[in-house]
């Protein structure tokens, strides 16, 4: 009933929300639609809130997770925040505070997304033109390396495009 009341409060504020009965169902919903904000209870059957938050961050590191719980002592809040929670709300949650925290998280997620888009747009000014098959293969390899934590050394003569490749990797 608490879940439905909170969904109603969000809908009343113009925020659409999907709901799940437990952590596993919530994770399945998230896999089908990677939300920018997730609100989770701490104590749930099958998968608790901290476990759900961990899985969500593996799938989509930028997703903001708000933890809400009746077991709201300071140690639990600190642990949730250490593990990457955006915010922690103790139950019983005040309607206004709950909606405000969710709106603030949504705004934060939207701004973060906009920053990523602007950075990508800004880096597009240095477009890399690839013609030869060897260069195509090199760029494909660098794109794979760019998603890892590997250290890359670019070596070559002046004017061969090392700086453009470094920007692409970065």
């Amino acid at each position: 009933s608490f879940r439905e009341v909170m969904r109603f409060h969000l809908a009343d504020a113009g925020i659409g929300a999907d709901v799940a009965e437990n952590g596993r169902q919530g994770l399945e919903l998230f896999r089908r639609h990677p939300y920018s904000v997730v609100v989770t209870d701490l104590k749930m059957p099958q998968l608790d809130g901290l476990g759900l938050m961990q899985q969500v961050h593996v799938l989509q590191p930028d997703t903001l997770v708000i933890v809400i719980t009746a077991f709201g002592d300071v140690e639990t809040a600190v642990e949730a925040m250490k593990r990457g929670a955006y915010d922690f709300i103790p139950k019983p949650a005040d309607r206004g505070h709950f909606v405000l925290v969710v709106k603030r998280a949504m705004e934060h997620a939207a701004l973060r997304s906009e920053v990523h888009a602007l950075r990508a747009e800004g880096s597009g000014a240095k477009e890399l033109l690839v013609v030869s098959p060897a260069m195509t293969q090199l760029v494909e390899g660098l794109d794979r390396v760019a998603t890892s934590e590997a250290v890359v050394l670019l070596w070559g003569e002046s004017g061969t495009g090392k700086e453009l490749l470094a920007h692409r990797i970065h």
Side-chain angles (χ1 to χ4, degrees):
S1 64
F2 180 78
R3 178 179 63 243
E4 290 301 321
V5 168
M6 292 294 112
R7 187 187 62 75
F8 174 78
H9 289 323
L10 290 174
D12 196 38
I15 302 169
D18 295 324
V19 296
E21 290 182 23
N22 58 52
R24 288 272 178 234
Q25 286 181 2
L27 186 57
E28 287 308 312
L29 271 173
F30 188 81
R31 283 186 174 132
R32 288 193 301 267
H33 180 79
Y35 303 93
S36 58
V37 177
V38 170
V39 178
T40 181
D41 201 336
L42 188 63
K43 304 285 184 185
M44 293 183 296
Q46 298 181 18
L47 180 64
D48 70 4
L50 294 180
L52 175 63
M53 179 172 58
Q54 180 182 6
Q55 292 296 316
V56 161
H57 284 155
V58 166
L59 295 170
Q60 188 77 24
D62 284 344
T63 295
L64 302 177
V65 179
I66 300 167
V67 177
I68 187 166
T69 186
F71 306 95
D73 59 16
V74 173
E75 292 161 8
T76 307
V78 168
E79 183 63 25
M81 300 302 272
K82 279 183 182 178
R83 291 196 189 188
Y86 174 76
D87 209 333
F88 184 88
I89 303 173
K91 285 181 188 174
D94 173 71
R95 174 194 188 277
H97 178 69
F98 173 72
V99 171
L100 179 68
V101 169
V102 172
K103 280 184 175 181
R104 190 178 76 214
M106 291 175 66
E107 289 169 0
H108 184 92
L111 287 172
R112 184 186 285 180
S113 178
E114 186 176 342
V115 166
H116 288 306
L118 288 172
R119 283 184 180 159
E121 183 181 302
S123 67
K126 297 179 181 180
E127 212 38 56
L128 188 63
L129 299 176
V130 179
V131 178
S132 74
M135 193 63 173
T136 300
Q137 189 176 16
L138 172 70
V139 170
E140 288 172 354
L142 290 176
D143 286 345
R144 285 192 301 274
V145 169
T147 60
S148 72
E149 293 294 320
V151 177
V152 177
L153 171 65
L154 297 173
W155 181 24
E157 293 181 25
S158 179
T160 57
K162 294 180 303 294
E163 186 176 344
L164 289 174
L165 294 174
H167 280 287
R168 186 172 182 117
I169 292 169
H170 196 310

